[in-house]
């Protein structure tokens, strides 16, 4: 393991597995500083017999571990969206753990979650490979999203009062702000937040969860695809404001057209 880390420290590619093209010092995984403090601030293991059946252990350790894993999971999702975790590449938990300043365990747990989401696949004795996606998969995701969201938005357009749609303007503005700075990760998050808020008006939590998962998958970059340009993000963000206007006006034809076209855009 120490030899694997030594090889990883000497190579140049960001986040790379210690078994293949390892990470370099200039490649930093962006993760909040409190991840390190949360993992390093562990509580000593209680002495044998210290707890009784009527006195369960304090939950602080479990909460900290979950927090570390959750923050790393979000950092890895950001790296997927921005392309820092490249399609087809293999990354090891120990190598990523060193970049995060934590042990391999929370990284491995986060990667297992990404595996369940379809973002990575397990490579035995090596780590996790980022799934390579093509244009056909993106098209299929757009089709499924349209089948789910278009009927819901058309129903909402008939029943939700204009004042409720107006309340969502700050979320649409947030996507425009992220697009204006070229912040792809920030745009991806604000884009999902806008769509979640719209669909939540239907009052169906399962619908929101399924749609959000499909939306997240549609945001992962394609293999060998160029980075999304700021102008593309801005055009995509502008569709949010246009959609709100159509919903306020109860213009069902425009709502349907905008939603379908939005799903086939840069990061719909």
């Amino acid at each position: 393991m120490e030899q694997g880390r030594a090889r990883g420290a000497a190579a140049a590619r960001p986040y790379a597995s210690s078994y293949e093209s390892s990470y370099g010092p200039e490649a930093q995984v962006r993760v909040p500083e409190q991840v390190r403090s949360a993992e390093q601030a562990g509580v000593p293991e209680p002495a044998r017999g210290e707890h009784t059946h009527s006195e369960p252990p304090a939950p602080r350790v479990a909460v900290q571990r979950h927090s570390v894993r959750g923050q790393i999971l979000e950092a890895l999702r950001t790296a997927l969206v921005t392309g820092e975790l490249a399609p087809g590449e293999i990354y090891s938990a120990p190598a990523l753990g060193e970049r995060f300043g934590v042990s391999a365990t929370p990284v491995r747990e986060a990667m297992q979650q990404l595996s369940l989401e379809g973002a990575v696949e397990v490579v035995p004795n090596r780590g996790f490979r980022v799934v390579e996606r093509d244009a056909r998969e993106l098209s299929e995701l757009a089709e499924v999203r349209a089948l789910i969201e278009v009927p819901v938005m058309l129903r909402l357009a008939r029943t939700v009062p204009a004042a409720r749609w107006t309340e969502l303007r700050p979320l649409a503005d947030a996507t425009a702000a992220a697009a204006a700075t070229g912040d792809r990760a920030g745009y991806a998050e604000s884009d999902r937040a806008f769509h979640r808020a719209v669909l939540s008006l239907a009052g169906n939590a399962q619908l929101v969860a399924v749609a959000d998962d499909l939306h997240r998958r549609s945001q992962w970059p394609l293999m060998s695809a160029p980075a999304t340009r700021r102008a593309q993000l801005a055009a995509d963000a502008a569709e949010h404001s246009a959609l709100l206007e159509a919903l306020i006006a109860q213009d069902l034809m425009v709502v349907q057209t905008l939603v379908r076209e939005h799903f086939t855009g840069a990061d719909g």
Side-chain angles (χ1 to χ4, degrees):
M1 180 63 70
E2 292 302 323
Q3 292 177 352
R5 290 179 178 174
R7 288 195 299 271
R13 181 175 298 173
Y15 318 108
S17 166
S18 56
Y19 299 91
E20 197 172 34
S21 50
S22 301
Y23 56 86
E26 75 281 5
Q28 297 294 330
V29 177
R30 297 178 180 84
V31 67
E33 186 64 30
Q34 56 264 41
V35 169
R36 293 184 174 86
S37 58
E39 165 140 299
Q40 294 167 357
V43 177
E45 222 175 279
R48 205 176 278 179
E50 180 177 336
H51 297 289
T52 65
H53 291 293
S54 60
E55 183 187 357
R60 185 156 66 94
V61 176
V63 170
Q64 288 179 344
R65 173 126 173 215
H66 176 76
S67 175
V68 172
R69 182 185 64 179
Q71 291 180 68
I72 291 177
L73 176 59
E74 289 309 307
L76 291 173
R77 282 173 171 164
T78 296
L80 282 167
V81 170
T82 60
E84 293 176 82
L85 289 179
E89 293 294 332
I90 298 174
Y91 302 94
S92 72
L96 288 171
E98 286 192 5
R99 284 297 170 191
F100 287 139
V102 300
S103 70
T105 300
V107 177
R108 189 173 292 112
E109 291 172 346
M111 280 293 200
Q112 292 287 355
Q113 176 60 37
L114 290 175
S115 176
L116 293 176
E117 295 175 5
V120 301
E121 55 188 11
V122 178
V123 181
N125 302 319
R126 298 190 66 184
F128 302 86
R129 177 187 290 112
V130 179
V131 172
E132 299 177 277
R133 303 167 57 248
D134 56 24
R136 177 176 179 177
E137 181 178 346
L138 190 62
S139 176
E140 290 173 348
L141 285 168
E143 181 180 359
V144 176
R145 289 185 65 199
L147 288 171
I148 294 175
E149 295 192 37
V150 170
V152 174
M153 289 194 188
L154 291 176
R155 174 163 56 88
L156 293 174
R158 298 186 186 97
T159 58
V160 175
R164 294 297 302 276
W165 296 123
T166 302
E167 293 173 0
L168 302 187
R169 288 194 188 279
L171 294 176
D173 292 342
T175 65
T181 61
D183 180 3
R184 184 181 174 88
Y187 180 82
E189 182 55 44
S190 61
D191 186 24
R192 290 198 310 276
F194 174 82
H195 282 266
R196 282 196 302 268
V198 170
L199 294 177
S200 67
L201 295 177
N204 188 328
Q206 298 304 315
L207 166 72
V208 175
V210 170
D212 192 57
D213 178 64
L214 292 169
H215 194 167
R216 187 187 301 279
R217 291 169 184 255
S218 73
Q219 291 175 329
W220 300 331
L222 299 179
M223 179 179 58
S224 303
T228 304
R229 295 189 301 272
R230 186 177 303 184
Q232 290 176 291
L233 293 179
D236 196 60
E239 292 176 355
H240 293 145
S241 295
L243 177 60
L244 283 181
E245 293 299 330
L247 289 166
I248 290 171
Q250 295 186 324
D251 192 331
L252 304 187
M253 182 83 66
V254 174
V255 169
Q256 178 169 309
T257 300
L258 281 173
V259 174
R260 289 186 181 280
E261 290 180 352
H262 189 62
F263 292 159
T264 60
D267 286 288

